[in-house]
mmCIF file of all heavy atoms in Angstrom:
data_model
loop_
_atom_site.group_PDB
_atom_site.id
_atom_site.type_symbol
_atom_site.label_atom_id
_atom_site.label_comp_id
_atom_site.label_asym_id
_atom_site.label_seq_id
_atom_site.Cartn_x
_atom_site.Cartn_y
_atom_site.Cartn_z
ATOM 1 N N ALA A 1 5.030 -1.574 5.420
ATOM 2 C CA ALA A 1 4.720 -1.615 6.855
ATOM 3 C C ALA A 1 5.983 -1.441 7.691
ATOM 4 O O ALA A 1 5.960 -0.812 8.753
ATOM 5 C CB ALA A 1 4.041 -2.943 7.189
ATOM 6 N N ARG A 2 7.097 -1.975 7.206
ATOM 7 C CA ARG A 2 8.363 -1.876 7.949
ATOM 8 C C ARG A 2 8.915 -0.447 7.912
ATOM 9 O O ARG A 2 9.464 0.032 8.905
ATOM 10 C CB ARG A 2 9.379 -2.847 7.350
ATOM 11 C CG ARG A 2 10.706 -2.942 8.088
ATOM 12 C CD ARG A 2 10.581 -3.707 9.381
ATOM 13 N NE ARG A 2 10.244 -5.104 9.137
ATOM 14 C CZ ARG A 2 11.135 -6.058 8.907
ATOM 15 N NH1 ARG A 2 12.428 -5.760 8.889
ATOM 16 N NH2 ARG A 2 10.748 -7.296 8.723
ATOM 17 N N THR A 3 8.814 0.231 6.765
ATOM 18 C CA THR A 3 9.375 1.580 6.628
ATOM 19 C C THR A 3 8.427 2.664 7.111
ATOM 20 O O THR A 3 8.859 3.770 7.423
ATOM 21 C CB THR A 3 9.742 1.864 5.160
ATOM 22 O OG1 THR A 3 8.566 1.740 4.346
ATOM 23 C CG2 THR A 3 10.804 0.886 4.678
ATOM 24 N N GLY A 4 7.123 2.349 7.140
ATOM 25 C CA GLY A 4 6.148 3.332 7.586
ATOM 26 C C GLY A 4 5.631 4.243 6.493
ATOM 27 O O GLY A 4 4.869 5.177 6.764
ATOM 28 N N ALA A 5 6.023 3.993 5.232
ATOM 29 C CA ALA A 5 5.575 4.838 4.128
ATOM 30 C C ALA A 5 5.749 4.091 2.809
ATOM 31 O O ALA A 5 6.646 3.235 2.690
ATOM 32 C CB ALA A 5 6.360 6.151 4.094
ATOM 33 N N PRO A 6 4.918 4.412 1.783
ATOM 34 C CA PRO A 6 5.084 3.775 0.470
ATOM 35 C C PRO A 6 6.403 4.185 -0.177
ATOM 36 O O PRO A 6 7.027 5.178 0.214
ATOM 37 C CB PRO A 6 3.884 4.311 -0.329
ATOM 38 C CG PRO A 6 2.911 4.808 0.690
ATOM 39 C CD PRO A 6 3.738 5.286 1.840
ATOM 40 N N ALA A 7 6.836 3.418 -1.172
ATOM 41 C CA ALA A 7 8.087 3.709 -1.874
ATOM 42 C C ALA A 7 8.037 5.088 -2.519
ATOM 43 O O ALA A 7 7.079 5.427 -3.220
ATOM 44 C CB ALA A 7 8.350 2.650 -2.934
ATOM 45 N N GLY A 8 9.070 5.905 -2.278
ATOM 46 C CA GLY A 8 9.173 7.220 -2.890
ATOM 47 C C GLY A 8 8.341 8.306 -2.260
ATOM 48 O O GLY A 8 8.440 9.472 -2.657
ATOM 49 N N ALA A 9 7.522 7.966 -1.273
ATOM 50 C CA ALA A 9 6.639 8.965 -0.670
ATOM 51 C C ALA A 9 7.330 9.682 0.485
ATOM 52 O O ALA A 9 8.071 9.070 1.245
ATOM 53 C CB ALA A 9 5.356 8.298 -0.171
ATOM 54 N N ARG A 10 7.081 10.995 0.589
ATOM 55 C CA ARG A 10 7.580 11.759 1.730
ATOM 56 C C ARG A 10 6.553 11.670 2.859
ATOM 57 O O ARG A 10 5.379 11.956 2.650
ATOM 58 C CB ARG A 10 7.802 13.227 1.349
ATOM 59 C CG ARG A 10 8.895 13.425 0.304
ATOM 60 C CD ARG A 10 9.036 14.902 -0.031
ATOM 61 N NE ARG A 10 10.086 15.128 -0.992
ATOM 62 C CZ ARG A 10 11.367 15.308 -0.685
ATOM 63 N NH1 ARG A 10 11.741 15.281 0.587
ATOM 64 N NH2 ARG A 10 12.263 15.517 -1.623
ATOM 65 N N SER A 11 7.012 11.277 4.017
ATOM 66 C CA SER A 11 6.080 11.109 5.123
ATOM 67 C C SER A 11 6.799 11.313 6.450
ATOM 68 O O SER A 11 7.905 10.801 6.635
ATOM 69 C CB SER A 11 5.452 9.705 5.088
ATOM 70 O OG SER A 11 4.706 9.463 6.266
ATOM 71 N N PRO A 12 6.183 12.063 7.380
ATOM 72 C CA PRO A 12 6.792 12.231 8.718
ATOM 73 C C PRO A 12 6.779 10.929 9.524
ATOM 74 O O PRO A 12 7.482 10.818 10.526
ATOM 75 C CB PRO A 12 5.903 13.301 9.371
ATOM 76 C CG PRO A 12 4.585 13.179 8.658
ATOM 77 C CD PRO A 12 4.918 12.810 7.252
ATOM 78 N N ASP A 13 5.995 9.965 9.074
ATOM 79 C CA ASP A 13 5.904 8.683 9.785
ATOM 80 C C ASP A 13 6.945 7.673 9.315
ATOM 81 O O ASP A 13 6.992 6.557 9.825
ATOM 82 C CB ASP A 13 4.499 8.080 9.593
ATOM 83 C CG ASP A 13 3.408 8.966 10.168
ATOM 84 O OD1 ASP A 13 3.661 9.609 11.202
ATOM 85 O OD2 ASP A 13 2.315 9.018 9.567
ATOM 86 N N ARG A 14 7.767 8.058 8.325
ATOM 87 C CA ARG A 14 8.733 7.104 7.789
ATOM 88 C C ARG A 14 9.764 6.722 8.858
ATOM 89 O O ARG A 14 10.321 7.575 9.547
ATOM 90 C CB ARG A 14 9.441 7.697 6.570
ATOM 91 C CG ARG A 14 10.484 6.753 5.951
ATOM 92 C CD ARG A 14 11.102 7.348 4.704
ATOM 93 N NE ARG A 14 10.140 7.427 3.607
ATOM 94 C CZ ARG A 14 9.810 6.396 2.843
ATOM 95 N NH1 ARG A 14 10.344 5.200 3.076
ATOM 96 N NH2 ARG A 14 8.937 6.546 1.873
ATOM 97 N N LEU A 15 10.034 5.408 8.976
ATOM 98 C CA LEU A 15 10.954 4.898 9.979
ATOM 99 C C LEU A 15 12.356 4.665 9.424
ATOM 100 O O LEU A 15 13.344 4.792 10.147
ATOM 101 C CB LEU A 15 10.414 3.585 10.553
ATOM 102 C CG LEU A 15 9.019 3.659 11.185
ATOM 103 C CD1 LEU A 15 8.544 2.270 11.584
ATOM 104 C CD2 LEU A 15 9.033 4.595 12.380
ATOM 105 N N THR A 16 12.437 4.314 8.150
ATOM 106 C CA THR A 16 13.730 4.086 7.511
ATOM 107 C C THR A 16 13.562 4.178 6.001
ATOM 108 O O THR A 16 12.436 4.195 5.490
ATOM 109 C CB THR A 16 14.311 2.710 7.900
ATOM 110 O OG1 THR A 16 15.626 2.581 7.347
ATOM 111 C CG2 THR A 16 13.443 1.574 7.374
ATOM 112 N N GLN A 17 14.687 4.233 5.287
ATOM 113 C CA GLN A 17 14.668 4.346 3.835
ATOM 114 C C GLN A 17 14.992 2.999 3.196
ATOM 115 O O GLN A 17 15.635 2.144 3.789
ATOM 116 C CB GLN A 17 15.715 5.373 3.381
ATOM 117 C CG GLN A 17 15.517 6.764 3.947
ATOM 118 C CD GLN A 17 14.371 7.494 3.295
ATOM 119 O OE1 GLN A 17 13.975 7.173 2.185
ATOM 120 N NE2 GLN A 17 13.834 8.499 3.990
ATOM 121 N N ARG A 18 14.534 2.825 1.967
ATOM 122 C CA ARG A 18 14.939 1.660 1.187
ATOM 123 C C ARG A 18 16.376 1.850 0.707
ATOM 124 O O ARG A 18 16.866 2.976 0.630
ATOM 125 C CB ARG A 18 14.014 1.479 -0.019
ATOM 126 C CG ARG A 18 12.566 1.202 0.379
ATOM 127 C CD ARG A 18 11.710 1.033 -0.844
ATOM 128 N NE ARG A 18 10.318 0.814 -0.487
ATOM 129 C CZ ARG A 18 9.550 -0.129 -1.008
ATOM 130 N NH1 ARG A 18 10.048 -0.947 -1.915
ATOM 131 N NH2 ARG A 18 8.291 -0.252 -0.641
ATOM 132 N N ASN A 19 17.011 0.731 0.365
ATOM 133 C CA ASN A 19 18.416 0.804 -0.034
ATOM 134 C C ASN A 19 18.687 -0.190 -1.164
ATOM 135 O O ASN A 19 19.591 -1.027 -1.079
ATOM 136 C CB ASN A 19 19.315 0.518 1.177
ATOM 137 C CG ASN A 19 20.775 0.800 0.890
ATOM 138 O OD1 ASN A 19 21.103 1.658 0.078
ATOM 139 N ND2 ASN A 19 21.659 0.061 1.551
ATOM 140 N N GLY A 20 17.898 -0.107 -2.231
ATOM 141 C CA GLY A 20 18.104 -0.977 -3.381
ATOM 142 C C GLY A 20 17.483 -2.352 -3.192
ATOM 143 O O GLY A 20 16.590 -2.546 -2.358
ATOM 144 N N TYR A 21 17.989 -3.303 -3.979
ATOM 145 C CA TYR A 21 17.442 -4.667 -3.958
ATOM 146 C C TYR A 21 18.580 -5.677 -3.979
ATOM 147 O O TYR A 21 19.707 -5.372 -4.356
ATOM 148 C CB TYR A 21 16.551 -4.907 -5.188
ATOM 149 C CG TYR A 21 15.308 -4.053 -5.231
ATOM 150 C CD1 TYR A 21 15.337 -2.765 -5.775
ATOM 151 C CD2 TYR A 21 14.095 -4.533 -4.729
ATOM 152 C CE1 TYR A 21 14.190 -1.977 -5.813
ATOM 153 C CE2 TYR A 21 12.953 -3.755 -4.770
ATOM 154 C CZ TYR A 21 12.998 -2.477 -5.307
ATOM 155 O OH TYR A 21 11.870 -1.709 -5.344
ATOM 156 N N ARG A 22 18.273 -6.891 -3.549
ATOM 157 C CA ARG A 22 19.200 -8.010 -3.713
ATOM 158 C C ARG A 22 18.450 -9.152 -4.380
ATOM 159 O O ARG A 22 17.263 -9.378 -4.111
ATOM 160 C CB ARG A 22 19.775 -8.459 -2.374
ATOM 161 C CG ARG A 22 18.776 -9.091 -1.428
ATOM 162 C CD ARG A 22 19.441 -9.465 -0.110
ATOM 163 N NE ARG A 22 18.495 -10.112 0.801
ATOM 164 C CZ ARG A 22 18.302 -11.419 0.866
ATOM 165 N NH1 ARG A 22 18.990 -12.221 0.077
ATOM 166 N NH2 ARG A 22 17.432 -11.946 1.706
ATOM 167 N N ASP A 23 19.128 -9.846 -5.261
ATOM 168 C CA ASP A 23 18.508 -10.947 -6.008
ATOM 169 C C ASP A 23 18.612 -12.245 -5.220
ATOM 170 O O ASP A 23 19.633 -12.531 -4.584
ATOM 171 C CB ASP A 23 19.190 -11.118 -7.368
ATOM 172 C CG ASP A 23 19.006 -9.892 -8.248
ATOM 173 O OD1 ASP A 23 17.954 -9.248 -8.127
ATOM 174 O OD2 ASP A 23 19.916 -9.590 -9.043
ATOM 175 N N ARG A 24 17.542 -13.038 -5.277
ATOM 176 C CA ARG A 24 17.551 -14.349 -4.623
ATOM 177 C C ARG A 24 16.585 -15.278 -5.354
ATOM 178 O O ARG A 24 15.435 -14.901 -5.609
ATOM 179 C CB ARG A 24 17.140 -14.227 -3.161
ATOM 180 C CG ARG A 24 16.967 -15.583 -2.479
ATOM 181 C CD ARG A 24 16.900 -15.468 -0.995
ATOM 182 N NE ARG A 24 16.620 -16.754 -0.365
ATOM 183 C CZ ARG A 24 16.709 -17.006 0.923
ATOM 184 N NH1 ARG A 24 17.108 -16.068 1.736
ATOM 185 N NH2 ARG A 24 16.417 -18.196 1.408
ATOM 186 N N PRO A 25 17.026 -16.482 -5.706
ATOM 187 C CA PRO A 25 16.122 -17.437 -6.350
ATOM 188 C C PRO A 25 15.166 -18.051 -5.333
ATOM 189 O O PRO A 25 15.534 -18.269 -4.177
ATOM 190 C CB PRO A 25 17.070 -18.486 -6.932
ATOM 191 C CG PRO A 25 18.275 -18.430 -6.059
ATOM 192 C CD PRO A 25 18.405 -17.003 -5.611
ATOM 193 N N TRP A 26 13.961 -18.347 -5.784
ATOM 194 C CA TRP A 26 12.944 -18.966 -4.926
ATOM 195 C C TRP A 26 12.435 -20.204 -5.648
ATOM 196 O O TRP A 26 11.798 -20.101 -6.703
ATOM 197 C CB TRP A 26 11.812 -17.973 -4.663
ATOM 198 C CG TRP A 26 10.711 -18.506 -3.795
ATOM 199 C CD1 TRP A 26 10.807 -19.426 -2.811
ATOM 200 C CD2 TRP A 26 9.328 -18.112 -3.839
ATOM 201 N NE1 TRP A 26 9.585 -19.643 -2.227
ATOM 202 C CE2 TRP A 26 8.656 -18.855 -2.828
ATOM 203 C CE3 TRP A 26 8.600 -17.207 -4.609
ATOM 204 C CZ2 TRP A 26 7.290 -18.713 -2.601
ATOM 205 C CZ3 TRP A 26 7.241 -17.069 -4.373
ATOM 206 C CH2 TRP A 26 6.594 -17.814 -3.378
ATOM 207 N N ASP A 27 12.741 -21.369 -5.107
ATOM 208 C CA ASP A 27 12.307 -22.630 -5.708
ATOM 209 C C ASP A 27 10.893 -22.961 -5.252
ATOM 210 O O ASP A 27 10.632 -23.103 -4.053
ATOM 211 C CB ASP A 27 13.260 -23.763 -5.326
ATOM 212 C CG ASP A 27 14.634 -23.592 -5.948
ATOM 213 O OD1 ASP A 27 14.681 -23.206 -7.125
ATOM 214 O OD2 ASP A 27 15.648 -23.834 -5.262
ATOM 215 N N THR A 28 9.980 -23.079 -6.220
ATOM 216 C CA THR A 28 8.580 -23.375 -5.929
ATOM 217 C C THR A 28 8.156 -24.630 -6.681
ATOM 218 O O THR A 28 8.926 -25.202 -7.459
ATOM 219 C CB THR A 28 7.670 -22.211 -6.352
ATOM 220 O OG1 THR A 28 7.606 -22.166 -7.791
ATOM 221 C CG2 THR A 28 8.215 -20.876 -5.851
ATOM 222 N N ARG A 29 6.916 -25.055 -6.496
ATOM 223 C CA ARG A 29 6.399 -26.249 -7.166
ATOM 224 C C ARG A 29 6.208 -26.036 -8.658
ATOM 225 O O ARG A 29 6.015 -26.988 -9.410
ATOM 226 C CB ARG A 29 5.076 -26.670 -6.513
ATOM 227 C CG ARG A 29 5.246 -27.083 -5.065
ATOM 228 C CD ARG A 29 3.933 -27.326 -4.371
ATOM 229 N NE ARG A 29 3.238 -28.492 -4.899
ATOM 230 C CZ ARG A 29 2.093 -28.960 -4.407
ATOM 231 N NH1 ARG A 29 1.521 -28.347 -3.386
ATOM 232 N NH2 ARG A 29 1.523 -30.022 -4.926
ATOM 233 N N VAL A 30 6.241 -24.777 -9.095
ATOM 234 C CA VAL A 30 6.097 -24.506 -10.535
ATOM 235 C C VAL A 30 7.412 -24.030 -11.143
ATOM 236 O O VAL A 30 7.425 -23.502 -12.252
ATOM 237 C CB VAL A 30 4.977 -23.458 -10.792
ATOM 238 C CG1 VAL A 30 3.632 -24.030 -10.449
ATOM 239 C CG2 VAL A 30 5.247 -22.173 -10.014
ATOM 240 N N GLY A 31 8.512 -24.226 -10.407
ATOM 241 C CA GLY A 31 9.810 -23.839 -10.944
ATOM 242 C C GLY A 31 10.432 -22.703 -10.157
ATOM 243 O O GLY A 31 9.892 -22.216 -9.159
ATOM 244 N N ARG A 32 11.602 -22.280 -10.612
ATOM 245 C CA ARG A 32 12.362 -21.233 -9.913
ATOM 246 C C ARG A 32 11.859 -19.850 -10.301
ATOM 247 O O ARG A 32 11.654 -19.555 -11.489
ATOM 248 C CB ARG A 32 13.844 -21.370 -10.230
ATOM 249 C CG ARG A 32 14.719 -20.253 -9.690
ATOM 250 C CD ARG A 32 16.182 -20.615 -9.700
ATOM 251 N NE ARG A 32 16.469 -21.678 -8.739
ATOM 252 C CZ ARG A 32 17.703 -22.047 -8.401
ATOM 253 N NH1 ARG A 32 18.745 -21.458 -8.935
ATOM 254 N NH2 ARG A 32 17.892 -23.001 -7.525
ATOM 255 N N ILE A 33 11.702 -19.000 -9.284
ATOM 256 C CA ILE A 33 11.284 -17.616 -9.480
ATOM 257 C C ILE A 33 12.402 -16.716 -8.964
ATOM 258 O O ILE A 33 12.890 -16.899 -7.849
ATOM 259 C CB ILE A 33 9.972 -17.312 -8.732
ATOM 260 C CG1 ILE A 33 8.822 -18.147 -9.321
ATOM 261 C CG2 ILE A 33 9.637 -15.824 -8.799
ATOM 262 C CD1 ILE A 33 7.531 -18.020 -8.545
ATOM 263 N N ASP A 34 12.822 -15.767 -9.783
ATOM 264 C CA ASP A 34 13.878 -14.833 -9.393
ATOM 265 C C ASP A 34 13.254 -13.642 -8.673
ATOM 266 O O ASP A 34 12.500 -12.860 -9.276
ATOM 267 C CB ASP A 34 14.670 -14.365 -10.615
ATOM 268 C CG ASP A 34 15.453 -15.504 -11.254
ATOM 269 O OD1 ASP A 34 15.992 -16.334 -10.492
ATOM 270 O OD2 ASP A 34 15.519 -15.575 -12.498
ATOM 271 N N LEU A 35 13.554 -13.519 -7.397
ATOM 272 C CA LEU A 35 13.005 -12.440 -6.582
ATOM 273 C C LEU A 35 13.991 -11.281 -6.482
ATOM 274 O O LEU A 35 15.203 -11.489 -6.474
ATOM 275 C CB LEU A 35 12.692 -12.937 -5.175
ATOM 276 C CG LEU A 35 11.678 -14.071 -5.026
ATOM 277 C CD1 LEU A 35 11.593 -14.497 -3.558
ATOM 278 C CD2 LEU A 35 10.309 -13.644 -5.535
ATOM 279 N N SER A 36 13.462 -10.074 -6.408
ATOM 280 C CA SER A 36 14.248 -8.883 -6.092
ATOM 281 C C SER A 36 13.763 -8.391 -4.735
ATOM 282 O O SER A 36 12.713 -7.743 -4.628
ATOM 283 C CB SER A 36 14.068 -7.801 -7.160
ATOM 284 O OG SER A 36 14.616 -8.218 -8.390
ATOM 285 N N ILE A 37 14.521 -8.729 -3.694
ATOM 286 C CA ILE A 37 14.099 -8.444 -2.323
ATOM 287 C C ILE A 37 14.583 -7.060 -1.911
ATOM 288 O O ILE A 37 15.779 -6.768 -1.997
ATOM 289 C CB ILE A 37 14.649 -9.508 -1.363
ATOM 290 C CG1 ILE A 37 14.158 -10.899 -1.784
ATOM 291 C CG2 ILE A 37 14.238 -9.208 0.078
ATOM 292 C CD1 ILE A 37 14.733 -12.024 -0.947
ATOM 293 N N PRO A 38 13.684 -6.181 -1.484
ATOM 294 C CA PRO A 38 14.104 -4.834 -1.063
ATOM 295 C C PRO A 38 15.052 -4.876 0.125
ATOM 296 O O PRO A 38 14.917 -5.723 1.016
ATOM 297 C CB PRO A 38 12.773 -4.163 -0.677
ATOM 298 C CG PRO A 38 11.715 -4.957 -1.378
ATOM 299 C CD PRO A 38 12.224 -6.357 -1.411
ATOM 300 N N LYS A 39 16.027 -3.970 0.129
ATOM 301 C CA LYS A 39 16.939 -3.820 1.261
ATOM 302 C C LYS A 39 16.613 -2.515 1.982
ATOM 303 O O LYS A 39 16.116 -1.558 1.378
ATOM 304 C CB LYS A 39 18.394 -3.802 0.785
ATOM 305 C CG LYS A 39 18.842 -5.105 0.145
ATOM 306 C CD LYS A 39 20.356 -5.172 -0.003
ATOM 307 C CE LYS A 39 20.867 -4.114 -0.950
ATOM 308 N NZ LYS A 39 22.326 -4.232 -1.193
ATOM 309 N N LEU A 40 16.921 -2.467 3.276
ATOM 310 C CA LEU A 40 16.643 -1.287 4.088
ATOM 311 C C LEU A 40 17.944 -0.685 4.605
ATOM 312 O O LEU A 40 18.936 -1.387 4.801
ATOM 313 C CB LEU A 40 15.751 -1.658 5.278
ATOM 314 C CG LEU A 40 14.441 -2.390 4.952
ATOM 315 C CD1 LEU A 40 13.699 -2.723 6.238
ATOM 316 C CD2 LEU A 40 13.579 -1.563 4.024
ATOM 317 N N ARG A 41 17.940 0.634 4.805
ATOM 318 C CA ARG A 41 19.145 1.293 5.346
ATOM 319 C C ARG A 41 19.368 0.922 6.809
ATOM 320 O O ARG A 41 20.498 0.829 7.270
ATOM 321 C CB ARG A 41 19.022 2.812 5.211
ATOM 322 C CG ARG A 41 19.072 3.299 3.771
ATOM 323 C CD ARG A 41 19.230 4.802 3.701
ATOM 324 N NE ARG A 41 19.235 5.261 2.321
ATOM 325 C CZ ARG A 41 20.301 5.251 1.543
ATOM 326 N NH1 ARG A 41 21.441 4.802 2.021
ATOM 327 N NH2 ARG A 41 20.232 5.680 0.295
ATOM 328 N N LYS A 42 18.286 0.703 7.556
ATOM 329 C CA LYS A 42 18.386 0.303 8.956
ATOM 330 C C LYS A 42 17.612 -1.000 9.140
ATOM 331 O O LYS A 42 16.466 -1.101 8.731
ATOM 332 C CB LYS A 42 17.818 1.386 9.890
ATOM 333 C CG LYS A 42 18.618 2.675 9.908
ATOM 334 C CD LYS A 42 18.006 3.662 10.893
ATOM 335 C CE LYS A 42 18.805 4.973 10.917
ATOM 336 N NZ LYS A 42 18.191 5.951 11.865
ATOM 337 N N GLY A 43 18.260 -1.970 9.778
ATOM 338 C CA GLY A 43 17.599 -3.247 9.992
ATOM 339 C C GLY A 43 17.685 -4.127 8.762
ATOM 340 O O GLY A 43 18.362 -3.812 7.780
ATOM 341 N N SER A 44 17.021 -5.256 8.805
ATOM 342 C CA SER A 44 17.038 -6.205 7.701
ATOM 343 C C SER A 44 15.615 -6.636 7.375
ATOM 344 O O SER A 44 14.699 -6.492 8.193
ATOM 345 C CB SER A 44 17.888 -7.430 8.057
ATOM 346 O OG SER A 44 17.366 -8.088 9.199
ATOM 347 N N TYR A 45 15.437 -7.174 6.177
ATOM 348 C CA TYR A 45 14.120 -7.642 5.758
ATOM 349 C C TYR A 45 14.251 -8.943 4.998
ATOM 350 O O TYR A 45 15.078 -9.070 4.087
ATOM 351 C CB TYR A 45 13.430 -6.600 4.863
ATOM 352 C CG TYR A 45 12.212 -7.157 4.154
ATOM 353 C CD1 TYR A 45 11.077 -7.506 4.869
ATOM 354 C CD2 TYR A 45 12.225 -7.363 2.775
ATOM 355 C CE1 TYR A 45 9.971 -8.046 4.227
ATOM 356 C CE2 TYR A 45 11.125 -7.894 2.133
ATOM 357 C CZ TYR A 45 9.997 -8.240 2.858
ATOM 358 O OH TYR A 45 8.914 -8.780 2.223
ATOM 359 N N LEU A 46 13.460 -9.936 5.387
ATOM 360 C CA LEU A 46 13.361 -11.205 4.680
ATOM 361 C C LEU A 46 11.882 -11.526 4.545
ATOM 362 O O LEU A 46 11.157 -11.519 5.545
ATOM 363 C CB LEU A 46 14.077 -12.313 5.449
ATOM 364 C CG LEU A 46 14.239 -13.643 4.705
ATOM 365 C CD1 LEU A 46 15.231 -13.484 3.550
ATOM 366 C CD2 LEU A 46 14.741 -14.726 5.653
ATOM 367 N N PRO A 47 11.391 -11.778 3.329
ATOM 368 C CA PRO A 47 9.959 -12.054 3.142
ATOM 369 C C PRO A 47 9.482 -13.202 4.018
ATOM 370 O O PRO A 47 10.196 -14.194 4.212
ATOM 371 C CB PRO A 47 9.864 -12.414 1.657
ATOM 372 C CG PRO A 47 11.043 -11.758 1.027
ATOM 373 C CD PRO A 47 12.125 -11.802 2.055
ATOM 374 N N THR A 48 8.282 -13.070 4.550
ATOM 375 C CA THR A 48 7.759 -14.081 5.470
ATOM 376 C C THR A 48 7.534 -15.421 4.785
ATOM 377 O O THR A 48 7.502 -16.457 5.452
ATOM 378 C CB THR A 48 6.422 -13.605 6.067
ATOM 379 O OG1 THR A 48 5.512 -13.288 5.000
ATOM 380 C CG2 THR A 48 6.629 -12.372 6.931
#
């Protein structure tokens, strides 16, 4: 929704490109989950 197009798809509606991933641990009630959070070339993204 942020980029305007699915990963790897060519689209005239695309707003920005992905730029790899960054690792971040997520502590939950069932233990730690290792997340790979997508990075963007323009702007920033943090899961809601």
